[in-house]
Amino acid sequence: MRSRFDEQLSLLNKKMIEMGAECENIIALSTNALLEGNTVEARNAKEQGHKIDQMEREIESVCLKLLLQQQPVAKDLRVISAALKMITDMERIGDQAEDIAEIIPFLNGRTGEECHDIRLMAEATIKMVTESIDAYVKQDLEFAKSVSDYDDVVDDAFDRVKQSLIKMISENTADGEYALDLLMIAKYFERIGDHAVNIAEWVEFSVTGVHKGE
C-alpha cells in the first residue's frame, strides 16, 4: 500500500514541476511580447493560461485521490495540503501573466523597454516561481526562505518603476496613458512575486507544520 502511495506522491511532484514550468513559460511569453511589442506572442501567452487551468484540475484530482484512497501520515498530509494551496497561487500567476498580455495591444506598438526595471521584475519573478517549486519538491526549507527574501528585489524594482513613470508623465503628459499601462503591468509582476512568496510559505508549512500566517 505504501509503495502505491509513494508512486502517487511522485506523480504529484512531477505534475507540480510541470505546472511550475508552465507558469515560468507564460511569464516569459508575456515578457517577450511586452519587450518586443509582439501582439502574436501576447495571444500565445493568453492561450497558455488555459493549459495552466487544466493542470490545476489534474493536480487537484491527484491530491484528492491521495487523501481519499490512501492513509497519509501527518507529514504526507502536510505535503498534499500544501500542494492544494500552492496550485491556487500558481493558477493566479497564470492569470496575471495573461493580464499583462492583454494590455500589450493597447500600447500601440510601444514596448516595455522604455522602463528597464520592468524587465528586471520579470526575470526576478520567474526565478522566484522556479525556486519555490524546487523547494517544494526537494522539501528544502532554506531554499523556500530564500524565495521570500528575494521578494525585496521585486518590491524595490516596483518602487523604481513608479518613480520613473511619474517622471515620464511630468516630462510629457501625452505619455500618460502609456505610463499607466506600464504601471499596471509592473503591478501584475509585483503580484506574481507575492504569489511566489505564498508558495514558498506553503513549502515551509509542508516541512515544519507551521504556516507563517499562524
Side-chain angles (χ1 to χ4, degrees), residues 23 26-35 37-39 41-43 45-46 92-107 112 118 121-123 125-126 181-193:
C23 287
I26 193 172
I27 298 169
L29 283 172
S30 294
T31 301
N32 290 339
L34 171 65
L35 297 178
N38 189 329
T39 55
E41 193 110 322
R43 283 197 298 273
K46 288 181 65 178
R92 288 175 182 164
I93 285 170
D95 286 346
Q96 274 142 18
E98 283 185 78
D99 290 335
I100 291 168
E102 285 179 0
I103 293 174
I104 291 166
F106 296 99
L107 298 179
I118 286 184
M121 291 182 77
E123 292 171 350
T125 53
I126 290 173
D181 284 337
L182 287 189
L183 181 60
M184 184 61 72
I185 287 169
K187 185 62 181 175
Y188 285 134
F189 278 124
E190 192 245 355
R191 288 178 182 169
I192 289 171

mmCIF file of all heavy atoms in Angstrom, residues 23 26-35 37-39 41-43 45-46 92-107 112 118 121-123 125-126 181-193:
data_model
loop_
_atom_site.group_PDB
_atom_site.id
_atom_site.type_symbol
_atom_site.label_atom_id
_atom_site.label_comp_id
_atom_site.label_asym_id
_atom_site.label_seq_id
_atom_site.Cartn_x
_atom_site.Cartn_y
_atom_site.Cartn_z
ATOM 1 N N CYS A 23 4.005 27.966 -15.645
ATOM 2 C CA CYS A 23 3.931 29.321 -15.080
ATOM 3 C C CYS A 23 5.140 30.141 -15.515
ATOM 4 O O CYS A 23 5.008 31.307 -15.908
ATOM 5 C CB CYS A 23 3.870 29.265 -13.552
ATOM 6 S SG CYS A 23 2.294 28.696 -12.898
ATOM 7 N N ILE A 26 4.634 31.060 -19.241
ATOM 8 C CA ILE A 26 3.667 32.119 -19.563
ATOM 9 C C ILE A 26 4.195 33.488 -19.157
ATOM 10 O O ILE A 26 3.954 34.489 -19.833
ATOM 11 C CB ILE A 26 2.282 31.825 -18.933
ATOM 12 C CG1 ILE A 26 1.223 32.754 -19.552
ATOM 13 C CG2 ILE A 26 2.305 31.966 -17.423
ATOM 14 C CD1 ILE A 26 -0.201 32.415 -19.133
ATOM 15 N N ILE A 27 4.958 33.543 -18.059
ATOM 16 C CA ILE A 27 5.577 34.821 -17.667
ATOM 17 C C ILE A 27 6.581 35.235 -18.751
ATOM 18 O O ILE A 27 6.622 36.401 -19.166
ATOM 19 C CB ILE A 27 6.281 34.721 -16.302
ATOM 20 C CG1 ILE A 27 5.294 34.377 -15.199
ATOM 21 C CG2 ILE A 27 6.977 36.050 -15.966
ATOM 22 C CD1 ILE A 27 5.959 34.007 -13.865
ATOM 23 N N ALA A 28 7.389 34.265 -19.202
ATOM 24 C CA ALA A 28 8.389 34.568 -20.229
ATOM 25 C C ALA A 28 7.729 35.012 -21.533
ATOM 26 O O ALA A 28 8.192 35.967 -22.183
ATOM 27 C CB ALA A 28 9.273 33.340 -20.473
ATOM 28 N N LEU A 29 6.643 34.349 -21.933
ATOM 29 C CA LEU A 29 5.929 34.734 -23.159
ATOM 30 C C LEU A 29 5.384 36.157 -23.057
ATOM 31 O O LEU A 29 5.528 36.955 -23.995
ATOM 32 C CB LEU A 29 4.773 33.758 -23.421
ATOM 33 C CG LEU A 29 5.116 32.391 -23.994
ATOM 34 C CD1 LEU A 29 3.878 31.495 -23.991
ATOM 35 C CD2 LEU A 29 5.666 32.520 -25.416
ATOM 36 N N SER A 30 4.759 36.460 -21.922
ATOM 37 C CA SER A 30 4.203 37.799 -21.729
ATOM 38 C C SER A 30 5.302 38.849 -21.705
ATOM 39 O O SER A 30 5.150 39.950 -22.259
ATOM 40 C CB SER A 30 3.405 37.858 -20.422
ATOM 41 O OG SER A 30 2.263 37.036 -20.501
ATOM 42 N N THR A 31 6.425 38.507 -21.077
ATOM 43 C CA THR A 31 7.551 39.448 -21.001
ATOM 44 C C THR A 31 8.131 39.706 -22.386
ATOM 45 O O THR A 31 8.380 40.862 -22.765
ATOM 46 C CB THR A 31 8.646 38.895 -20.069
ATOM 47 O OG1 THR A 31 8.096 38.684 -18.766
ATOM 48 C CG2 THR A 31 9.811 39.869 -19.968
ATOM 49 N N ASN A 32 8.355 38.645 -23.160
ATOM 50 C CA ASN A 32 8.892 38.818 -24.514
ATOM 51 C C ASN A 32 7.940 39.639 -25.381
ATOM 52 O O ASN A 32 8.378 40.505 -26.151
ATOM 53 C CB ASN A 32 9.138 37.456 -25.165
ATOM 54 C CG ASN A 32 10.298 36.713 -24.537
ATOM 55 O OD1 ASN A 32 11.159 37.312 -23.895
ATOM 56 N ND2 ASN A 32 10.326 35.397 -24.712
ATOM 57 N N ALA A 33 6.648 39.347 -25.237
ATOM 58 C CA ALA A 33 5.653 40.107 -26.001
ATOM 59 C C ALA A 33 5.710 41.587 -25.634
ATOM 60 O O ALA A 33 5.618 42.461 -26.500
ATOM 61 C CB ALA A 33 4.262 39.544 -25.741
ATOM 62 N N LEU A 34 5.883 41.848 -24.343
ATOM 63 C CA LEU A 34 5.943 43.235 -23.864
ATOM 64 C C LEU A 34 7.197 43.943 -24.379
ATOM 65 O O LEU A 34 7.134 45.075 -24.870
ATOM 66 C CB LEU A 34 5.932 43.239 -22.332
ATOM 67 C CG LEU A 34 6.193 44.585 -21.652
ATOM 68 C CD1 LEU A 34 5.068 45.566 -21.961
ATOM 69 C CD2 LEU A 34 6.342 44.392 -20.140
ATOM 70 N N LEU A 35 8.334 43.281 -24.265
ATOM 71 C CA LEU A 35 9.598 43.926 -24.627
ATOM 72 C C LEU A 35 9.763 44.080 -26.134
ATOM 73 O O LEU A 35 10.508 44.946 -26.591
ATOM 74 C CB LEU A 35 10.770 43.121 -24.045
ATOM 75 C CG LEU A 35 10.803 43.038 -22.509
ATOM 76 C CD1 LEU A 35 11.969 42.175 -22.050
ATOM 77 C CD2 LEU A 35 10.886 44.421 -21.887
ATOM 78 N N GLY A 37 6.893 44.280 -28.188
ATOM 79 C CA GLY A 37 5.656 44.816 -28.741
ATOM 80 C C GLY A 37 4.982 43.826 -29.665
ATOM 81 O O GLY A 37 4.358 44.199 -30.666
ATOM 82 N N ASN A 38 5.078 42.547 -29.317
ATOM 83 C CA ASN A 38 4.639 41.460 -30.199
ATOM 84 C C ASN A 38 3.238 40.977 -29.777
ATOM 85 O O ASN A 38 3.086 40.255 -28.806
ATOM 86 C CB ASN A 38 5.641 40.311 -30.119
ATOM 87 C CG ASN A 38 5.377 39.238 -31.148
ATOM 88 O OD1 ASN A 38 4.239 38.990 -31.533
ATOM 89 N ND2 ASN A 38 6.436 38.580 -31.596
ATOM 90 N N THR A 39 2.217 41.372 -30.534
ATOM 91 C CA THR A 39 0.849 41.014 -30.170
ATOM 92 C C THR A 39 0.550 39.534 -30.431
ATOM 93 O O THR A 39 -0.315 38.953 -29.774
ATOM 94 C CB THR A 39 -0.168 41.878 -30.946
ATOM 95 O OG1 THR A 39 0.081 41.760 -32.346
ATOM 96 C CG2 THR A 39 -0.054 43.345 -30.530
ATOM 97 N N GLU A 41 2.704 37.053 -29.898
ATOM 98 C CA GLU A 41 3.223 36.392 -28.699
ATOM 99 C C GLU A 41 2.295 36.632 -27.507
ATOM 100 O O GLU A 41 2.131 35.763 -26.647
ATOM 101 C CB GLU A 41 4.626 36.916 -28.383
ATOM 102 C CG GLU A 41 5.357 36.090 -27.355
ATOM 103 C CD GLU A 41 6.519 35.314 -27.952
ATOM 104 O OE1 GLU A 41 6.378 34.832 -29.080
ATOM 105 O OE2 GLU A 41 7.539 35.193 -27.290
ATOM 106 N N ALA A 42 1.701 37.798 -27.463
ATOM 107 C CA ALA A 42 0.750 38.095 -26.384
ATOM 108 C C ALA A 42 -0.452 37.151 -26.453
ATOM 109 O O ALA A 42 -0.930 36.655 -25.424
ATOM 110 C CB ALA A 42 0.284 39.550 -26.481
ATOM 111 N N ARG A 43 -0.941 36.870 -27.666
ATOM 112 C CA ARG A 43 -2.052 35.928 -27.821
ATOM 113 C C ARG A 43 -1.631 34.521 -27.393
ATOM 114 O O ARG A 43 -2.407 33.786 -26.778
ATOM 115 C CB ARG A 43 -2.551 35.918 -29.277
ATOM 116 C CG ARG A 43 -3.408 37.112 -29.639
ATOM 117 C CD ARG A 43 -4.210 36.855 -30.903
ATOM 118 N NE ARG A 43 -3.350 36.634 -32.059
ATOM 119 C CZ ARG A 43 -2.868 37.607 -32.828
ATOM 120 N NH1 ARG A 43 -3.160 38.867 -32.562
ATOM 121 N NH2 ARG A 43 -2.104 37.327 -33.868
ATOM 122 N N ALA A 45 0.508 33.791 -25.117
ATOM 123 C CA ALA A 45 0.538 33.783 -23.651
ATOM 124 C C ALA A 45 -0.863 33.572 -23.091
ATOM 125 O O ALA A 45 -1.063 32.810 -22.142
ATOM 126 C CB ALA A 45 1.135 35.096 -23.132
ATOM 127 N N LYS A 46 -1.843 34.230 -23.681
ATOM 128 C CA LYS A 46 -3.227 34.080 -23.213
ATOM 129 C C LYS A 46 -3.705 32.637 -23.388
ATOM 130 O O LYS A 46 -4.387 32.095 -22.515
ATOM 131 C CB LYS A 46 -4.137 35.045 -23.968
ATOM 132 C CG LYS A 46 -3.946 36.513 -23.570
ATOM 133 C CD LYS A 46 -4.886 37.420 -24.329
ATOM 134 C CE LYS A 46 -6.329 37.143 -23.962
ATOM 135 N NZ LYS A 46 -7.268 38.051 -24.650
ATOM 136 N N ARG A 92 -3.193 31.658 -10.232
ATOM 137 C CA ARG A 92 -3.298 33.125 -10.240
ATOM 138 C C ARG A 92 -2.098 33.765 -10.922
ATOM 139 O O ARG A 92 -2.228 34.817 -11.559
ATOM 140 C CB ARG A 92 -3.458 33.635 -8.807
ATOM 141 C CG ARG A 92 -4.839 33.321 -8.242
ATOM 142 C CD ARG A 92 -4.977 33.698 -6.797
ATOM 143 N NE ARG A 92 -6.301 33.337 -6.292
ATOM 144 C CZ ARG A 92 -6.611 33.265 -5.000
ATOM 145 N NH1 ARG A 92 -5.681 33.516 -4.084
ATOM 146 N NH2 ARG A 92 -7.829 32.935 -4.611
ATOM 147 N N ILE A 93 -0.930 33.141 -10.779
ATOM 148 C CA ILE A 93 0.241 33.620 -11.516
ATOM 149 C C ILE A 93 -0.057 33.575 -13.021
ATOM 150 O O ILE A 93 0.240 34.519 -13.755
ATOM 151 C CB ILE A 93 1.479 32.753 -11.179
ATOM 152 C CG1 ILE A 93 1.991 33.106 -9.773
ATOM 153 C CG2 ILE A 93 2.591 32.955 -12.223
ATOM 154 C CD1 ILE A 93 3.057 32.157 -9.240
ATOM 155 N N GLY A 94 -0.651 32.468 -13.468
ATOM 156 C CA GLY A 94 -1.035 32.356 -14.872
ATOM 157 C C GLY A 94 -2.013 33.444 -15.277
ATOM 158 O O GLY A 94 -1.876 34.057 -16.345
ATOM 159 N N ASP A 95 -2.993 33.710 -14.411
ATOM 160 C CA ASP A 95 -3.985 34.754 -14.703
ATOM 161 C C ASP A 95 -3.314 36.114 -14.862
ATOM 162 O O ASP A 95 -3.655 36.895 -15.763
ATOM 163 C CB ASP A 95 -5.016 34.833 -13.575
ATOM 164 C CG ASP A 95 -5.997 33.670 -13.587
ATOM 165 O OD1 ASP A 95 -6.053 32.955 -14.606
ATOM 166 O OD2 ASP A 95 -6.708 33.477 -12.579
ATOM 167 N N GLN A 96 -2.372 36.413 -13.963
ATOM 168 C CA GLN A 96 -1.753 37.738 -14.004
ATOM 169 C C GLN A 96 -0.808 37.892 -15.194
ATOM 170 O O GLN A 96 -0.695 38.985 -15.762
ATOM 171 C CB GLN A 96 -1.063 38.030 -12.665
ATOM 172 C CG GLN A 96 -2.080 38.608 -11.690
ATOM 173 C CD GLN A 96 -1.916 38.150 -10.257
ATOM 174 O OE1 GLN A 96 -0.866 37.654 -9.864
ATOM 175 N NE2 GLN A 96 -2.963 38.323 -9.479
ATOM 176 N N ALA A 97 -0.169 36.797 -15.591
ATOM 177 C CA ALA A 97 0.635 36.848 -16.817
ATOM 178 C C ALA A 97 -0.273 37.082 -18.033
ATOM 179 O O ALA A 97 0.085 37.820 -18.954
ATOM 180 C CB ALA A 97 1.432 35.558 -16.978
ATOM 181 N N GLU A 98 -1.458 36.464 -18.009
ATOM 182 C CA GLU A 98 -2.446 36.717 -19.072
ATOM 183 C C GLU A 98 -2.884 38.180 -19.065
ATOM 184 O O GLU A 98 -3.051 38.794 -20.130
ATOM 185 C CB GLU A 98 -3.680 35.842 -18.873
ATOM 186 C CG GLU A 98 -3.523 34.395 -19.284
ATOM 187 C CD GLU A 98 -4.845 33.655 -19.168
ATOM 188 O OE1 GLU A 98 -5.700 33.826 -20.063
ATOM 189 O OE2 GLU A 98 -5.036 32.919 -18.174
ATOM 190 N N ASP A 99 -3.086 38.740 -17.874
ATOM 191 C CA ASP A 99 -3.490 40.149 -17.766
ATOM 192 C C ASP A 99 -2.440 41.061 -18.394
ATOM 193 O O ASP A 99 -2.777 42.061 -19.047
ATOM 194 C CB ASP A 99 -3.695 40.533 -16.298
ATOM 195 C CG ASP A 99 -4.927 39.868 -15.688
ATOM 196 O OD1 ASP A 99 -5.846 39.514 -16.448
ATOM 197 O OD2 ASP A 99 -4.969 39.701 -14.450
ATOM 198 N N ILE A 100 -1.159 40.724 -18.184
ATOM 199 C CA ILE A 100 -0.084 41.503 -18.810
ATOM 200 C C ILE A 100 -0.221 41.418 -20.327
ATOM 201 O O ILE A 100 -0.144 42.436 -21.035
ATOM 202 C CB ILE A 100 1.290 40.975 -18.350
ATOM 203 C CG1 ILE A 100 1.510 41.300 -16.867
ATOM 204 C CG2 ILE A 100 2.423 41.587 -19.200
ATOM 205 C CD1 ILE A 100 2.696 40.585 -16.238
ATOM 206 N N ALA A 101 -0.432 40.207 -20.826
ATOM 207 C CA ALA A 101 -0.544 40.008 -22.270
ATOM 208 C C ALA A 101 -1.722 40.800 -22.853
ATOM 209 O O ALA A 101 -1.628 41.309 -23.981
ATOM 210 C CB ALA A 101 -0.700 38.518 -22.575
ATOM 211 N N GLU A 102 -2.804 40.909 -22.109
ATOM 212 C CA GLU A 102 -3.990 41.609 -22.605
ATOM 213 C C GLU A 102 -3.743 43.109 -22.785
ATOM 214 O O GLU A 102 -4.397 43.763 -23.608
ATOM 215 C CB GLU A 102 -5.163 41.388 -21.642
ATOM 216 C CG GLU A 102 -5.764 39.999 -21.749
ATOM 217 C CD GLU A 102 -6.904 39.785 -20.765
ATOM 218 O OE1 GLU A 102 -7.227 40.727 -20.005
ATOM 219 O OE2 GLU A 102 -7.474 38.671 -20.750
ATOM 220 N N ILE A 103 -2.818 43.665 -22.020
ATOM 221 C CA ILE A 103 -2.545 45.104 -22.104
ATOM 222 C C ILE A 103 -1.703 45.449 -23.337
ATOM 223 O O ILE A 103 -1.813 46.540 -23.889
ATOM 224 C CB ILE A 103 -1.828 45.581 -20.816
ATOM 225 C CG1 ILE A 103 -2.781 45.474 -19.622
ATOM 226 C CG2 ILE A 103 -1.325 47.018 -20.958
ATOM 227 C CD1 ILE A 103 -2.131 45.776 -18.283
ATOM 228 N N ILE A 104 -0.882 44.505 -23.779
ATOM 229 C CA ILE A 104 0.123 44.791 -24.807
ATOM 230 C C ILE A 104 -0.458 45.395 -26.093
ATOM 231 O O ILE A 104 0.101 46.367 -26.623
ATOM 232 C CB ILE A 104 0.957 43.524 -25.093
ATOM 233 C CG1 ILE A 104 1.831 43.223 -23.872
ATOM 234 C CG2 ILE A 104 1.830 43.701 -26.339
ATOM 235 C CD1 ILE A 104 2.460 41.861 -23.855
ATOM 236 N N PRO A 105 -1.600 44.905 -26.621
ATOM 237 C CA PRO A 105 -2.136 45.534 -27.838
ATOM 238 C C PRO A 105 -2.490 47.013 -27.657
ATOM 239 O O PRO A 105 -2.512 47.770 -28.635
ATOM 240 C CB PRO A 105 -3.398 44.697 -28.124
ATOM 241 C CG PRO A 105 -3.132 43.375 -27.486
ATOM 242 C CD PRO A 105 -2.358 43.696 -26.254
ATOM 243 N N PHE A 106 -2.747 47.424 -26.412
ATOM 244 C CA PHE A 106 -3.126 48.818 -26.169
ATOM 245 C C PHE A 106 -1.917 49.752 -26.071
ATOM 246 O O PHE A 106 -2.085 50.969 -25.928
ATOM 247 C CB PHE A 106 -3.957 48.908 -24.886
ATOM 248 C CG PHE A 106 -5.266 48.163 -24.981
ATOM 249 C CD1 PHE A 106 -5.388 46.885 -24.449
ATOM 250 C CD2 PHE A 106 -6.361 48.723 -25.619
ATOM 251 C CE1 PHE A 106 -6.575 46.180 -24.544
ATOM 252 C CE2 PHE A 106 -7.560 48.026 -25.718
ATOM 253 C CZ PHE A 106 -7.674 46.747 -25.176
ATOM 254 N N LEU A 107 -0.716 49.188 -26.144
ATOM 255 C CA LEU A 107 0.488 50.026 -26.098
ATOM 256 C C LEU A 107 0.781 50.655 -27.451
ATOM 257 O O LEU A 107 1.713 51.462 -27.581
ATOM 258 C CB LEU A 107 1.695 49.199 -25.640
ATOM 259 C CG LEU A 107 1.610 48.597 -24.228
ATOM 260 C CD1 LEU A 107 2.872 47.794 -23.927
ATOM 261 C CD2 LEU A 107 1.386 49.665 -23.179
ATOM 262 N N GLY A 112 7.904 47.689 -23.472
ATOM 263 C CA GLY A 112 8.278 47.928 -22.085
ATOM 264 C C GLY A 112 9.739 48.244 -21.903
ATOM 265 O O GLY A 112 10.203 48.475 -20.779
ATOM 266 N N ILE A 118 11.157 46.990 -15.431
ATOM 267 C CA ILE A 118 10.099 46.008 -15.700
ATOM 268 C C ILE A 118 10.721 44.687 -16.149
ATOM 269 O O ILE A 118 10.275 43.609 -15.743
ATOM 270 C CB ILE A 118 9.096 46.547 -16.740
ATOM 271 C CG1 ILE A 118 8.206 47.602 -16.078
ATOM 272 C CG2 ILE A 118 8.251 45.417 -17.324
ATOM 273 C CD1 ILE A 118 7.116 48.158 -16.960
ATOM 274 N N MET A 121 11.969 43.011 -13.084
ATOM 275 C CA MET A 121 10.872 42.409 -12.328
ATOM 276 C C MET A 121 10.454 41.069 -12.935
ATOM 277 O O MET A 121 10.200 40.102 -12.207
ATOM 278 C CB MET A 121 9.660 43.349 -12.284
ATOM 279 C CG MET A 121 9.865 44.602 -11.438
ATOM 280 S SD MET A 121 8.373 45.629 -11.386
ATOM 281 C CE MET A 121 7.369 44.695 -10.218
ATOM 282 N N ALA A 122 10.391 41.026 -14.246
ATOM 283 C CA ALA A 122 10.000 39.787 -14.924
ATOM 284 C C ALA A 122 11.005 38.671 -14.642
ATOM 285 O O ALA A 122 10.623 37.545 -14.294
ATOM 286 C CB ALA A 122 9.895 40.026 -16.426
ATOM 287 N N GLU A 123 12.286 38.980 -14.784
ATOM 288 C CA GLU A 123 13.326 37.974 -14.539
ATOM 289 C C GLU A 123 13.303 37.500 -13.088
ATOM 290 O O GLU A 123 13.471 36.307 -12.803
ATOM 291 C CB GLU A 123 14.698 38.559 -14.891
ATOM 292 C CG GLU A 123 14.870 38.803 -16.397
ATOM 293 C CD GLU A 123 16.131 39.589 -16.726
ATOM 294 O OE1 GLU A 123 16.768 40.113 -15.781
ATOM 295 O OE2 GLU A 123 16.475 39.692 -17.916
ATOM 296 N N THR A 125 10.714 37.487 -10.985
ATOM 297 C CA THR A 125 9.534 36.674 -10.656
ATOM 298 C C THR A 125 9.650 35.268 -11.240
ATOM 299 O O THR A 125 9.227 34.298 -10.599
ATOM 300 C CB THR A 125 8.230 37.345 -11.150
ATOM 301 O OG1 THR A 125 8.340 37.675 -12.543
ATOM 302 C CG2 THR A 125 7.949 38.617 -10.364
ATOM 303 N N ILE A 126 10.236 35.140 -12.425
ATOM 304 C CA ILE A 126 10.462 33.796 -12.994
ATOM 305 C C ILE A 126 11.378 33.002 -12.063
ATOM 306 O O ILE A 126 11.116 31.830 -11.765
ATOM 307 C CB ILE A 126 11.057 33.885 -14.410
ATOM 308 C CG1 ILE A 126 10.020 34.425 -15.398
ATOM 309 C CG2 ILE A 126 11.550 32.508 -14.881
ATOM 310 C CD1 ILE A 126 10.565 34.708 -16.782
ATOM 311 N N ASP A 181 -0.442 52.196 -18.333
ATOM 312 C CA ASP A 181 -0.433 50.789 -18.767
ATOM 313 C C ASP A 181 0.807 50.068 -18.225
ATOM 314 O O ASP A 181 0.720 48.929 -17.739
ATOM 315 C CB ASP A 181 -0.457 50.696 -20.297
ATOM 316 C CG ASP A 181 -1.841 50.975 -20.878
ATOM 317 O OD1 ASP A 181 -2.835 50.806 -20.139
ATOM 318 O OD2 ASP A 181 -1.926 51.345 -22.062
ATOM 319 N N LEU A 182 1.967 50.724 -18.301
ATOM 320 C CA LEU A 182 3.186 50.114 -17.781
ATOM 321 C C LEU A 182 3.117 49.938 -16.266
ATOM 322 O O LEU A 182 3.605 48.939 -15.724
ATOM 323 C CB LEU A 182 4.412 50.964 -18.137
ATOM 324 C CG LEU A 182 4.894 50.949 -19.584
ATOM 325 C CD1 LEU A 182 6.248 51.659 -19.688
ATOM 326 C CD2 LEU A 182 5.013 49.532 -20.140
ATOM 327 N N LEU A 183 2.497 50.889 -15.592
ATOM 328 C CA LEU A 183 2.353 50.772 -14.135
ATOM 329 C C LEU A 183 1.488 49.573 -13.778
ATOM 330 O O LEU A 183 1.793 48.827 -12.832
ATOM 331 C CB LEU A 183 1.738 52.054 -13.564
ATOM 332 C CG LEU A 183 1.545 52.073 -12.037
ATOM 333 C CD1 LEU A 183 2.883 51.910 -11.317
ATOM 334 C CD2 LEU A 183 0.846 53.356 -11.606
ATOM 335 N N MET A 184 0.420 49.366 -14.538
ATOM 336 C CA MET A 184 -0.446 48.206 -14.295
ATOM 337 C C MET A 184 0.320 46.909 -14.535
ATOM 338 O O MET A 184 0.209 45.949 -13.756
ATOM 339 C CB MET A 184 -1.673 48.274 -15.203
ATOM 340 C CG MET A 184 -2.676 47.157 -14.951
ATOM 341 S SD MET A 184 -3.354 47.187 -13.272
ATOM 342 C CE MET A 184 -4.401 48.640 -13.388
ATOM 343 N N ILE A 185 1.121 46.878 -15.602
ATOM 344 C CA ILE A 185 1.929 45.695 -15.890
ATOM 345 C C ILE A 185 2.910 45.427 -14.749
ATOM 346 O O ILE A 185 3.063 44.285 -14.293
ATOM 347 C CB ILE A 185 2.679 45.873 -17.225
ATOM 348 C CG1 ILE A 185 1.683 45.751 -18.392
ATOM 349 C CG2 ILE A 185 3.815 44.867 -17.370
ATOM 350 C CD1 ILE A 185 2.249 46.157 -19.739
ATOM 351 N N ALA A 186 3.566 46.482 -14.270
ATOM 352 C CA ALA A 186 4.509 46.321 -13.152
ATOM 353 C C ALA A 186 3.795 45.807 -11.915
ATOM 354 O O ALA A 186 4.335 44.980 -11.164
ATOM 355 C CB ALA A 186 5.195 47.653 -12.858
ATOM 356 N N LYS A 187 2.565 46.271 -11.708
ATOM 357 C CA LYS A 187 1.790 45.811 -10.552
ATOM 358 C C LYS A 187 1.478 44.320 -10.681
ATOM 359 O O LYS A 187 1.524 43.579 -9.686
ATOM 360 C CB LYS A 187 0.490 46.619 -10.438
ATOM 361 C CG LYS A 187 -0.333 46.300 -9.189
ATOM 362 C CD LYS A 187 0.442 46.645 -7.924
ATOM 363 C CE LYS A 187 -0.362 46.306 -6.670
ATOM 364 N NZ LYS A 187 0.434 46.520 -5.438
ATOM 365 N N TYR A 188 1.189 43.864 -11.884
ATOM 366 C CA TYR A 188 0.935 42.431 -12.079
ATOM 367 C C TYR A 188 2.193 41.617 -11.779
ATOM 368 O O TYR A 188 2.113 40.550 -11.161
ATOM 369 C CB TYR A 188 0.451 42.156 -13.501
ATOM 370 C CG TYR A 188 -0.977 42.571 -13.753
ATOM 371 C CD1 TYR A 188 -1.330 43.285 -14.899
ATOM 372 C CD2 TYR A 188 -1.993 42.251 -12.852
ATOM 373 C CE1 TYR A 188 -2.652 43.671 -15.139
ATOM 374 C CE2 TYR A 188 -3.304 42.630 -13.087
ATOM 375 C CZ TYR A 188 -3.624 43.340 -14.226
ATOM 376 O OH TYR A 188 -4.925 43.718 -14.447
ATOM 377 N N PHE A 189 3.354 42.109 -12.199
ATOM 378 C CA PHE A 189 4.598 41.404 -11.873
ATOM 379 C C PHE A 189 4.814 41.367 -10.356
ATOM 380 O O PHE A 189 5.249 40.348 -9.802
ATOM 381 C CB PHE A 189 5.796 42.065 -12.555
ATOM 382 C CG PHE A 189 5.994 41.667 -13.986
ATOM 383 C CD1 PHE A 189 6.048 42.623 -14.998
ATOM 384 C CD2 PHE A 189 6.139 40.334 -14.335
ATOM 385 C CE1 PHE A 189 6.234 42.256 -16.319
ATOM 386 C CE2 PHE A 189 6.318 39.952 -15.669
ATOM 387 C CZ PHE A 189 6.365 40.919 -16.660
ATOM 388 N N GLU A 190 4.500 42.478 -9.717
ATOM 389 C CA GLU A 190 4.664 42.527 -8.259
ATOM 390 C C GLU A 190 3.755 41.502 -7.587
ATOM 391 O O GLU A 190 4.156 40.821 -6.636
ATOM 392 C CB GLU A 190 4.348 43.940 -7.761
ATOM 393 C CG GLU A 190 4.757 44.197 -6.330
ATOM 394 C CD GLU A 190 3.578 44.447 -5.419
ATOM 395 O OE1 GLU A 190 2.432 44.517 -5.907
ATOM 396 O OE2 GLU A 190 3.795 44.538 -4.198
ATOM 397 N N ARG A 191 2.538 41.345 -8.094
ATOM 398 C CA ARG A 191 1.610 40.355 -7.542
ATOM 399 C C ARG A 191 2.102 38.929 -7.804
ATOM 400 O O ARG A 191 1.926 38.051 -6.958
ATOM 401 C CB ARG A 191 0.222 40.556 -8.151
ATOM 402 C CG ARG A 191 -0.489 41.802 -7.644
ATOM 403 C CD ARG A 191 -1.831 41.977 -8.321
ATOM 404 N NE ARG A 191 -2.510 43.179 -7.884
ATOM 405 C CZ ARG A 191 -3.599 43.675 -8.467
ATOM 406 N NH1 ARG A 191 -4.130 43.049 -9.525
ATOM 407 N NH2 ARG A 191 -4.167 44.776 -8.013
ATOM 408 N N ILE A 192 2.691 38.710 -8.966
ATOM 409 C CA ILE A 192 3.260 37.387 -9.248
ATOM 410 C C ILE A 192 4.319 37.050 -8.208
ATOM 411 O O ILE A 192 4.390 35.926 -7.697
ATOM 412 C CB ILE A 192 3.843 37.334 -10.681
ATOM 413 C CG1 ILE A 192 2.710 37.350 -11.721
ATOM 414 C CG2 ILE A 192 4.715 36.086 -10.866
ATOM 415 C CD1 ILE A 192 3.176 37.518 -13.159
ATOM 416 N N GLY A 193 5.152 38.038 -7.877
ATOM 417 C CA GLY A 193 6.147 37.831 -6.826
ATOM 418 C C GLY A 193 5.504 37.481 -5.499
ATOM 419 O O GLY A 193 5.985 36.593 -4.775
#
